[in-house]
Amino acid sequence: MTGSPDAARPTRRQVLGTSVAAGLAVATVAPRPARAADLPLLGTYDVVVIGSGAAGMTAALTAAKQGLSVVVLEKAPTFGGSAARSGAGIWIPNNPVLLAAGVPDTPAKAAAYLAAVVGPDVPVARQQAFLAHGPAMISFVMANSPLRFRWMEGYSDYYPELPGGLPNGRSIEPDYLDGHILGAELARLNPSYMQVPDGMVVFSADYKWLTLAAVSVKGLAVATECLARGTKALTLGQAPLTMGQSLAGGLRKGLMDAGVPVRLNTPLTDLLVERGTVTGAVTPAGLYRARRAVVVGSGGFEHNLAMRTQYQRQPIGTDWTVGAKENTGDGIRAGQRVGAALGLMDDAWWGPAIPLPDQPYFCLAERTLPGGLMVNAAGGRFVNEAAPYSDVVHVMYDRNPTDPDIPAWLIVDQNYRNRYLFKDVSPTFVFPDDWYRSGAAHKAWTVDALATAIGVAPAALRSTVSRFNSLALQGKDPDFHRGDSAYDHYYTDPAVLPNSCLAPLWLPPYYAFRIVPGDLGTKGGLVTDARARVLRDDGTAIPGLYAAGNASAAVMGHSYAGAGSTIGPAMTFGYIAAKDIAGTL
């Protein structure tokens, strides 16, 4: 990136006003104080953890290993939350896995990079706490669970040109795990958002190459390796877990070995406060008392329409998120009722998504591969299609009021379809009929006909495609700088020259895919300090209350440092919270 320091930073978002009707706000925060005398006592523990995602299970494991008694309360009938559904990238600079792999990271580089990405949105002390304790957290998890991790080599930091950015990346992911170590608990693991192809064992870092398996020697080799892993697992009678399944399974096994119970189907309805201190968690069945603290790791509010309407920009809803369906902001609202401040409620871990009939599909490779472009309702390009996914959606919302970009359209041709995997549809294979019936996809034999099908002026789309084609042939995109950043080239085709991001559209038929602002979950919530303590509006801590993960306002502010910027901080601040409660931070 070039230009002034302010220009170099990722786009910032201004906090939205809450101009929703007063009745909605009252419904969200209306106090319903719990009284211990009125509630059946279901157990007393040193620490009560709300949520069994990455934040909650890391907090519980850490607390247990500090000698504290712990219980985890989980709303869902399964454990793992959104983390179990995810690719489980983990962004933590200077962690032991990176250093062992020879990644040239240093604390100074990491601090400079995070400061440049986050800017003034997050206190320096919180940034420093994340960077200081993240590596120790990874070491702790490896020492106290079966989890091991792999460097996602080549998955660039999202802004590698900023000071301290690494083009080869800092992200790690869980290694392979045999699910049989969980025994009967394996059946209670929250399923993955995207199922791994039958007979394969796939890591997150493999998807880049699986997309290219039809046109790349390395892609074919990776596909063969994934199949070989699957064959080996089948031969050994194993239940292979990778990505979020491995992460959630490994943490759960750590809790099992530490004797920490996880109570499923146990939603939080309120927090118990006595003499100004949070002393327990209220559930429909009764009270779980906490001698020392409650840690809220209950996820965001992506499936709460009232909260999304109140805090976020339109159009918005609950149908475009891939977060766990139980994430309805329960912990955030309970914290707010006891006086917690909220932050970043306007934002989410955004990404362009295709609203397919069964569930939204979060687009990564598809919008960055050469031979595709995105257009708005006017038929014009409006963004670098290969930019970090959160930035693309920020642009969609910023421009939409005056130059409608929601929905947008991803346009590709048959040459693109002949070469690349699209979601789970192999090259040359036809898309499911219900994609077309639902309006998520359109197909036509001319650009003009495709434009008519999606409600765009044919002349405008024709002109946009013509200009894009000329730029693609030159390998330069002066309009939106696609390919200028090392990050832009991760999900692309290295065989395409001179720019692996850019190729012309020339072979009919042509396809259009509806693009909406999807998300991995919301990123706003309870404001916390460097010790993960929940704060009031005046900056004082609420005694006995901690938060981590998407129930808290993200340490990434309005930006996104790299793959795993959700899970890495979630686990780290869960670890910090437990250490602080135990007095060992």
Side-chain angles (χ1 to χ4, degrees):
M1 293 185 175
T2 59
S4 69
D6 286 339
R9 288 179 184 149
T11 303
R12 302 293 176 215
R13 294 279 313 283
Q14 294 185 344
V15 177
L16 297 177
T18 55
S19 57
V20 175
L24 178 60
V26 170
T28 302
V29 301
R32 295 183 294 105
R35 293 181 14 154
D38 299 334
L39 300 167
L41 181 61
L42 302 178
T44 300
Y45 300 84
D46 293 324
V47 181
V48 176
V49 175
I50 312 300
S52 66
M57 286 200 286
T58 304
L61 182 61
T62 308
K65 291 298 180 177
Q66 307 304 299
L68 303 180
S69 62
V70 189
V71 67
V72 177
L73 309 183
E74 171 55 56
K75 177 181 183 179
T78 56
F79 69 88
S82 292
R85 292 171 53 78
S86 73
I90 299 172
W91 194 86
I92 294 179
N94 293 295
N95 74 67
V97 178
L98 294 179
L99 298 182
V103 177
D105 203 2
T106 68
K109 285 182 183 178
Y113 177 68
L114 188 61
V117 169
V118 174
D121 291 342
V122 176
V124 172
R126 283 196 73 214
Q127 297 180 43
Q128 291 175 338
F130 165 61
L131 295 175
H133 295 285
M137 181 277 293
I138 291 293
S139 295
F140 168 84
V141 166
M142 289 194 294
N144 293 281
S145 80
L147 279 167
R148 299 296 178 266
F149 300 94
R150 304 155 53 102
W151 176 36
M152 299 172 71
E153 183 176 3
Y155 202 151
S156 170
D157 284 343
Y158 287 177
Y159 308 98
E161 293 78 24
L162 290 180
L166 297 185
N168 256 352
R170 294 176 162 99
S171 301
I172 61 174
E173 64 171 308
D175 209 337
Y176 175 95
L177 199 66
D178 179 8
H180 287 319
I181 64 173
L182 292 169
E185 280 297 286
L186 179 59
R188 290 180 275 276
L189 173 59
N190 199 21
S192 176
Y193 152 64
M194 279 189 65
Q195 295 301 314
V196 171
D198 288 341
M200 287 185 147
V201 173
V202 180
F203 295 105
S204 278
D206 295 331
Y207 274 105
K208 163 189 170 69
W209 295 106
L210 292 178
T211 301
L212 306 174
V215 295
S216 162
V217 172
K218 183 169 182 179
L220 180 59
V222 169
T224 302
E225 183 180 357
C226 292
L227 186 59
R229 292 189 205 119
T231 302
K232 180 179 178 181
L234 180 64
T235 301
L236 295 175
Q238 297 179 339
L241 302 179
T242 58
M243 298 181 281
Q245 298 287 282
S246 176
L247 178 63
L251 289 172
R252 182 69 186 93
K253 176 60 173 169
L255 294 183
M256 291 166 63
D257 292 344
V260 176
V262 176
R263 309 293 188 212
L264 303 178
N265 298 299
T266 307
L268 174 72
T269 59
D270 220 337
L271 294 167
L272 178 67
V273 179
E274 297 173 305
R275 296 178 294 280
T277 298
V278 174
T279 58
V282 181
T283 73
L287 171 68
Y288 288 85
R289 274 199 172 276
R291 297 186 191 93
R292 298 204 184 190
V294 173
V295 180
V296 178
S298 53
F301 59 95
E302 55 267 25
H303 285 281
N304 185 317
L305 181 59
M307 292 180 73
R308 298 206 82 155
T309 300
Q310 178 179 1
Y311 292 109
Q312 300 188 323
R313 289 190 278 188
Q314 294 293 325
I316 197 65
T318 59
D319 296 333
W320 299 339
T321 180
V322 301
K325 64 181 182 297
E326 291 83 8
N327 291 348
T328 55
D330 302 352
I332 297 171
R333 289 179 295 159
Q336 194 177 14
R337 286 193 292 270
V338 300
L342 303 183
L344 299 176
M345 295 293 284
D346 60 315
D347 217 339
W349 303 100
W350 301 114
I354 301 173
L356 298 177
D358 55 342
Q359 65 176 352
Y361 175 64
F362 196 89
C363 275
L364 291 174
E366 291 81 3
R367 64 186 168 81
T368 69
L369 287 163
L373 69 154
M374 283 173 56
V375 301
N376 58 18
R381 289 180 72 208
F382 60 94
V383 71
N384 168 12
E385 296 90 346
Y389 34 91
S390 58
D391 284 358
V392 174
V393 173
H394 281 154
V395 171
M396 291 173 74
Y397 272 120
D398 289 343
R399 291 171 44 98
N400 193 60
T402 56
D403 191 12
D405 295 326
I406 303 174
W409 297 94
L410 172 62
I411 312 295
V412 306
D413 72 344
Q414 188 61 41
N415 180 54
Y416 173 108
R417 279 299 302 127
N418 290 343
R419 296 176 63 83
Y420 309 124
L421 183 75
F422 194 103
K423 189 179 180 284
D424 54 359
V425 181
S426 297
T428 75
F429 280 52
V430 297
F431 293 119
D433 289 341
D434 61 358
W435 290 21
Y436 296 110
R437 286 194 297 265
S438 70
H442 297 265
K443 175 182 176 181
W445 286 92
T446 67
V447 170
D448 283 13
L450 188 69
T452 300
I454 63 175
V456 169
L461 184 59
R462 192 185 328 121
S463 174
T464 296
V465 171
S466 177
R467 174 162 178 78
F468 180 84
N469 285 350
S470 68
L471 298 178
L473 290 170
Q474 298 170 42
K476 290 288 185 181
D477 178 20
D479 294 348
F480 295 98
H481 306 286
R482 180 169 167 180
D484 286 5
S485 171
Y487 171 78
D488 295 357
H489 293 271
Y490 182 70
Y491 283 113
T492 56
D493 184 350
V496 173
L497 300 173
N499 186 334
S500 68
C501 297
L502 298 172
L505 288 68
W506 58 273
L507 182 64
Y510 300 93
Y511 302 84
F513 303 92
R514 185 180 179 92
I515 298 291
V516 297
D519 65 70
L520 302 171
T522 50
K523 70 180 340 185
L526 306 175
V527 174
T528 57
D529 65 8
R531 293 159 57 185
R533 300 179 302 174
V534 175
L535 304 180
R536 304 182 182 94
D537 284 321
D538 64 4
T540 59
I542 298 175
L545 187 60
Y546 292 75
N550 287 353
S552 62
V555 74
M556 293 293 159
H558 288 295
S559 198
Y560 212 136
S565 291
T566 308
I567 294 178
M571 296 176 70
T572 300
F573 280 102
Y575 172 82
I576 288 171
K579 296 276 284 185
D580 193 65
I581 294 166
T584 58
L585 188 64

